[in-house]
Amino acid sequence: MANNNTVKLIGFLGAETKVIESESKTFAILRLATADSYKDKETEEWKDKATIWHDVILFSPALIEEAKAYEKGARLEINGSLNYRDFKVLEDGKEFTKREASIIAYKVKQAPPKKEQANA
């Protein structure tokens, strides 16, 4: 069966890996920051757009151990699939259902530096 729900992200680790252990399972959460960039037509300089934060969840014990070694600021490449979770919130006395997206990773590796970093 083909896996049509595939995500590849390259971004920067925003915090140390958070490992959560319960009686039934152990998993880890990574916070990955991404930002697209564009070339300013007037100045010809590259500028970043707003930063977007992604929650990446690891279930594989091997991936969890590997992710513990990455330090905040590391540039990572994540391969995985999108996962959605509905949850209830109370706002102004009314209950709403919100949806949160996260990435379930099956591969995490150090990404090469950005071109600007490599040339610096």
Side-chain angles (χ1 to χ4, degrees):
M1 177 182 357
N3 183 3
N4 295 321
N5 179 0
T6 303
V7 173
K8 178 180 178 179
L9 277 179
I10 298 175
F12 294 94
L13 189 59
E16 300 297 323
T17 301
K18 181 177 181 182
V19 178
I20 300 169
E21 297 182 36
S22 70
E23 291 180 17
S24 60
K25 60 185 161 188
T26 299
F27 61 98
I29 299 174
L30 304 176
R31 295 280 293 158
L32 199 71
T34 61
D36 287 331
S37 57
Y38 65 95
K39 194 170 192 177
D40 187 297
K41 291 179 182 179
E42 292 178 16
T43 65
E44 296 290 317
E45 293 179 9
W46 284 97
K47 297 187 177 186
D48 285 338
K49 294 182 181 179
T51 300
I52 300 172
W53 290 94
H54 308 274
D55 288 326
V56 179
I57 303 171
L58 311 172
F59 289 106
S60 161
L63 277 182
I64 292 170
E65 283 306 310
E66 183 180 331
K68 287 180 188 178
Y70 297 125
E71 294 181 5
K72 179 180 176 180
R75 189 163 188 258
L76 301 178
E77 179 179 315
I78 307 289
N79 295 87
S81 59
L82 279 176
N83 183 56
Y84 297 96
R85 177 182 76 91
D86 292 337
F87 60 98
K88 306 252 186 239
V89 294
L90 192 62
E91 292 179 7
D92 298 326
K94 295 181 182 179
E95 188 175 89
F96 294 93
T97 300
K98 290 192 174 186
R99 179 168 271 201
E100 176 181 79
S102 57
I103 298 156
I104 307 298
Y106 56 79
K107 185 177 180 183
V108 178
K109 68 178 187 176
Q110 189 88 35
K114 290 171 77 173
K115 289 180 184 177
E116 305 90 60
Q117 294 173 328
N119 295 334

